[in-house]
């Protein structure tokens, strides 16, 4: 074979390969384009097919409006602070108990409602339904708040509940007294108006969520378990309505949390012989530990974006993004590797891409001229839903790969199971329907909580746990959460009351309408 003919055959081959690649790209592009413009078919809600349930008017008079706001402000003014697992303001918690009894007389006197205190400051309400065949559900919220100090830069004192420009300011306004008071106020109005639920339900209000819920939520669950209770679904705090917060997304999105990341706190320690700093060993305990910590920071946990429900968040919202994001979000099957590399550049987006690693404490040394015999560091990890605690621990050992560094798990738990969010999912569809009843302009999608809630203690009572309240977040608002100038608008609080008022009635359907997914799914 001549050199020339070999060369021309190679050229031909390359030409064919380029043509093949172009063809593949064209097909990918066509499929991607079709998906971009057809995925939105699923967005509709067959409102007409829902069984009619009690439809009590949610109108409130001007006087009632003032009243519900003043109840809420009273709740904010009681400093129910959890300082630590062993230090809570019990006199404030006691005062809160009295407030609830005083401002919700219909609940506390109704023959339909049984009220119990759990561990003195948590509350369990059992509301009986007229049809005992229907599996009950449960609404959760928490009474305690994180500390707040006016000197940190609050515009008004943090337990004053003062109003500025239509907003009520104070610790607990969005975490989580808006739900505590919103749920009870909604039920109070229903009972006042003669409502009798068909489906029974529970309300659980914990008093130590901010310090893990081991007294409140854990014991409420124990009580329910001892009674053999099984729940259709649980709705707790967690995600919210995000308006202008997801970049590139036009319009507000209600994200319903279907899972929570897991957690691990790991202690790393190095012990060496002590010595004088005039004749140091090659590496000190500090040096060894610093090396281990550096390796952990440099070798982040693997990218897992797309392997958990965060994928569905973007697919549900895809049609609300402008081009070209719409194109990318509709085709995560193609763009996931690219997208996760872009997302991981910002810390808040990186939290959805992987298990995050935060080195939070580093202690060593007692004197400037003594080689420390001991150094320790603490690392806090938030585990992606596609990973387990054990896998994360194994990866830490592997990354550090140094026998001199002792790795110990201080505490931790796996990510929470993923609750259902398809068209047959009772809880998800009821919550979605209630959101759309009230805010037809909002897009509803499943989401992931990067923090944890009391609801994580409820996994033995139900397989479906949702984390959502229609608290309306605009740019800058997420920073108010556990931060300064926590606030809620008057209008938003009224909407929350109405949301629970409507949700409870919507839960009375025996079944949700049959699914239509199969006809539309691509
Ligand atoms: C509930 O009643 C109001 C009028 O009182 C009516 O406008 C609304 O359509 C009703 N909703 C349902 C779901 O039946
Ligand atoms: C605890 O709450 C009470 C109100 O019940 C309040 O007067 C007191 O200042 C609070 N204590 C602390 C340390 O916040
Ligand atoms: C509940 O209150 C009683 C009486 O005030 C007290 O003896 C008991 O220790 C409290 N229990 C808890 C769990 O705080
Ligand atoms: Zn909270």
């Amino acid at each position: 074979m001549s050199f020339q003919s070999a060369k021309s055959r190679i050229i031909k081959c390359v030409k064919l390969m380029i043509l093949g690649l172009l063809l593949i790209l064209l097909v990918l592009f066509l499929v991607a384009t079709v998906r971009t413009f057809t995925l939105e078919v699923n967005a509709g809600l067959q409102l007409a097919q829902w069984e009619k349930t009690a439809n009590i008017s949610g109108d409130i008079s001007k006087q009632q409006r003032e009243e519900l706001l003043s109840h809420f402000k009273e709740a904010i003014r009681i400093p129910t602070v959890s300082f630590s697992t062993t230090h809570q303001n019990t006199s404030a918690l006691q005062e809160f108990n009295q407030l609830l009894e005083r401002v919700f007389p219909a609940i506390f006197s109704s023959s339909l409602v049984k009220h119990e205190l759990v561990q003195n400051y948590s509350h369990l309400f059992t509301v009986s339904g007229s049809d005992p065949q229907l599996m009950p559900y449960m609404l959760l919220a928490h009474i305690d708040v994180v500390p707040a100090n006016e000197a940190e830069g609050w515009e008004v004192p943090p337990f004053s509940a003062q109003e500025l420009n239509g907003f009520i300011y104070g610790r607990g306004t969005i975490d989580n007294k808006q739900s505590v008071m919103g749920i009870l106020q909604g039920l109070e109005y229903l009972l006042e108006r003669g409502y009798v639920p068909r489906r029974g339900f529970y309300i659980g209000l914990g008093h130590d969520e901010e310090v893990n819920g081991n007294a409140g939520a854990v014991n409420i669950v124990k009580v329910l378990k001892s009674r053999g209770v099984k729940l259709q679904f649980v709705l707790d705090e967690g995600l919210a309505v995000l308006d202008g917060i997801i970049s590139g997304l036009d319009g507000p999105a209600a994200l319903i949390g279907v899972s929570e990341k897991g957690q691990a706190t790991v202690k790393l320690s190095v012990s060496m012989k002590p010595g004088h700093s005039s004749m140091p060993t090659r590496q000190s305990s500090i040096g060894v530990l610093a090396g281990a910590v550096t390796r952990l920071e440099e070798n982040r946990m693997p990218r897992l974006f797309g392997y958990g429900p965060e994928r569905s968040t973007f697919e549900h919202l895809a049609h609300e993004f402008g081009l070209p994001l719409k194109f990318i979000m509709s085709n995560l099957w193609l763009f996931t590797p690219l997208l996760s590399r872009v997302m991981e550049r910002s810390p808040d987006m990186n939290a959805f891409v992987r298990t995050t690693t935060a080195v939070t404490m580093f202690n060593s040394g007692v004197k400037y001229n003594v080689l420390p015999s001991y150094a320790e560091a603490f690392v806090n990890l938030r585990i992606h839903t596609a990973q387990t605690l054990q896998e994360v621990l194994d990866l830490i050992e592997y990354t550090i790969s140094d026998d001199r560094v002792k790795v110990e798990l201080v505490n931790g738990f796996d990510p929470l199971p993923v609750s259902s969010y398809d068209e047959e999912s009772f809880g998800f569809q009821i919550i979605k329907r209630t959101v759309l009843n009230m805010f037809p302009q909002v897009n509803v999608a499943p989401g992931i909580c990067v923090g944890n809630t009391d609801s994580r203690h409820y996994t033995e009572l139900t397989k479906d746990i949702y984390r959502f309240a229609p608290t309306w977040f605009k740019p800058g608002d997420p920073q108010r959460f556990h931060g300064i100038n926590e606030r809620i608008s008057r209008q938003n609080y009224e909407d929350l009351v109405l949301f629970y008022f409507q949700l409870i009635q919507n839960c009375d359907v025996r079944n949700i309408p049959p699914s239509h997914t199969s006809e539309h799914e691509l």
Side-chain angles (χ1 to χ4, degrees):
M1 194 161 49
S2 77
F3 173 71
Q4 271 303 328
S5 78
K7 191 178 163 194
S8 76
R9 282 178 69 175
I10 288 171
I11 289 174
K12 224 170 158 182
C13 235
V14 169
K15 275 185 181 163
L16 268 176
M17 274 169 64
I18 290 175
L19 195 65
L21 268 178
L22 283 176
L23 263 176
I24 290 170
L25 281 180
L26 183 67
V27 170
L28 286 182
F29 179 78
L30 282 177
V31 173
T33 307
V34 169
R35 285 181 63 93
T36 306
F37 295 101
T38 51
L39 270 189
E40 59 192 286
V41 174
N42 278 333
L45 187 77
Q46 287 81 27
L47 273 182
Q49 294 169 20
W50 283 74
E51 178 192 353
K52 293 266 184 299
T53 56
N55 180 16
I56 296 176
S57 162
D59 293 343
I60 45 176
S61 67
K62 194 156 175 288
Q63 192 205 335
Q64 282 173 317
R65 179 162 288 134
E66 290 310 316
E67 232 168 53
L68 78 87
L69 285 171
S70 89
H71 296 159
F72 179 60
K73 290 180 185 175
E74 280 192 72
I76 298 302
R77 287 190 193 113
I78 305 176
T80 49
V81 177
S82 287
F83 295 98
S84 72
T85 44
T86 50
H87 183 200
Q88 294 192 266
N89 188 336
T90 49
S91 91
L93 289 168
Q94 185 69 48
E95 209 180 304
F96 204 88
N97 289 353
Q98 290 155 6
L99 171 76
L100 296 185
E101 287 201 34
R102 179 162 54 79
V103 301
F104 301 124
I107 294 178
F108 281 85
S109 64
S110 170
S111 59
L112 296 171
V113 184
K114 179 167 113 186
H115 170 251
E116 293 162 275
L117 282 175
V118 175
Q119 300 280 307
N120 290 356
Y121 310 116
S122 283
H123 298 254
L124 172 62
F125 298 87
T126 305
V127 186
S128 44
S130 61
D131 184 347
Q133 301 297 87
L134 299 181
M135 196 188 271
Y137 62 99
M138 185 152 183
L139 306 176
L140 304 183
H142 66 88
I143 291 169
D144 63 323
V145 296
V146 293
N149 189 340
E150 188 177 358
E152 291 166 332
W154 283 76
E155 287 177 47
V156 306
F159 296 100
S160 66
Q162 278 181 42
E163 247 182 271
L164 286 179
N165 308 319
F167 288 89
I168 299 158
Y169 280 69
R171 178 61 86 226
T173 48
I174 57 174
D175 182 21
N176 178 233
K177 284 176 177 167
Q178 86 281 29
S179 297
V180 170
M181 298 304 280
I183 292 168
L184 293 179
Q185 188 69 69
L187 177 58
E188 179 78 7
Y189 283 151
L190 283 168
L191 294 172
E192 275 177 3
R193 293 163 198 204
Y195 170 73
V196 177
R198 192 201 269 170
R199 186 184 296 273
F201 61 99
Y202 297 88
I203 298 170
L205 308 177
H207 72 276
D208 62 343
E209 190 274 346
E210 298 292 359
V211 289
N212 286 333
N214 286 325
V218 166
N219 284 293
I220 291 175
V221 169
K222 266 191 197 146
V223 170
L224 294 176
K225 263 182 82 176
S226 75
R227 294 175 189 167
V229 171
K230 288 281 172 209
L231 299 170
Q232 181 79 42
F233 71 94
V234 164
L235 175 61
D236 195 5
E237 63 164 340
L239 298 178
V241 180
L242 306 185
D243 188 359
I245 298 212
I246 303 175
S247 57
L249 184 72
D250 307 328
L255 294 192
I256 299 172
V258 295
S259 183
E260 290 173 19
K261 291 184 90 173
Q263 264 205 58
T265 301
V266 174
K267 178 176 160 187
L268 309 178
S269 57
V270 178
S271 296
M272 291 179 119
K273 283 204 185 74
H276 198 272
S277 61
S278 59
M279 289 171 287
T281 45
R282 180 80 193 276
Q283 249 190 323
S284 66
S285 56
I286 294 181
V288 173
L289 187 60
V293 162
T294 305
R295 283 196 290 286
L296 279 182
E297 288 194 338
E298 282 179 351
N299 302 284
R300 295 200 278 183
M301 291 284 163
R303 292 185 193 96
L304 291 171
F305 181 76
Y307 293 94
E310 69 280 352
R311 185 192 182 104
S312 303
T313 306
F314 289 98
E315 286 178 344
H316 272 74
L317 298 176
H319 62 281
E320 291 300 315
F321 284 90
L323 287 168
L325 279 175
K326 176 175 177 158
F327 185 74
I328 290 172
M329 301 299 178
S330 305
N331 294 285
L332 292 179
W333 58 281
L334 184 58
F335 292 116
T336 294
L338 178 75
L339 194 61
S340 41
R341 280 172 176 77
V342 174
M343 286 175 72
E344 71 184 8
R345 291 184 197 170
S346 80
D348 50 341
M349 283 291 152
N350 182 48
F352 296 97
V353 174
R354 57 164 47 86
T355 296
T356 52
T357 307
V359 182
T360 47
M361 291 169 81
F362 197 110
N363 305 317
S364 184
V366 286
K367 205 158 178 285
Y368 71 86
N369 61 355
V370 175
L371 283 175
S373 59
Y374 181 76
E376 67 176 21
F378 288 85
V379 185
N380 186 248
L381 301 112
R382 302 301 174 102
I383 306 169
H384 190 278
T385 54
Q387 229 169 13
T388 64
L389 176 58
Q390 191 55 52
E391 283 165 1
V392 166
L393 295 177
D394 292 347
L395 271 168
I396 291 175
E397 295 267 10
Y398 176 81
T399 304
I400 293 178
S401 285
D402 186 338
D403 294 339
R404 295 171 297 176
V405 181
K406 191 168 158 197
V407 179
E408 290 165 275
L409 176 67
V410 180
N411 54 50
F413 49 88
D414 282 324
L416 276 290
V418 179
S419 305
S420 68
Y421 53 88
D422 58 20
E423 301 216 351
E424 272 106 48
S425 167
F426 185 89
F428 189 86
Q429 294 303 333
I430 291 277
I431 298 164
K432 175 174 175 177
R433 179 194 178 190
T434 310
V435 170
L436 293 179
N437 282 158
M438 296 197 52
F439 314 104
Q441 79 280 24
V442 166
N443 285 283
V444 181
I448 299 276
C449 292
V450 294
N452 297 111
T453 69
D454 264 351
S455 68
R456 75 187 170 90
H457 299 296
Y458 283 73
T459 49
E460 286 180 63
L461 301 180
T462 182
K463 66 175 185 46
D464 283 331
I465 297 174
Y466 303 101
R467 300 123 181 120
F468 172 78
T471 316
W472 205 279
F473 279 12
K474 295 214 164 172
D477 288 340
Q479 288 73 24
R480 300 176 194 271
F481 196 88
H482 288 201
I484 58 169
N485 293 318
E486 185 178 344
R487 67 176 195 188
I488 193 169
S489 74
R490 291 169 65 112
Q491 179 63 49
N492 195 182
Y493 178 64
E494 283 171 27
D495 286 344
L496 267 143
V497 172
L498 273 180
F499 172 82
Y500 293 112
F501 180 90
Q502 196 61 48
L503 179 82
I504 292 170
Q505 297 180 71
N506 287 350
C507 283
D508 280 334
V509 295
R510 289 194 174 81
N511 297 297
I512 56 172
S515 150
H516 292 259
T517 319
S518 50
E519 291 162 33
H520 299 307
E521 201 89 293
L522 198 73

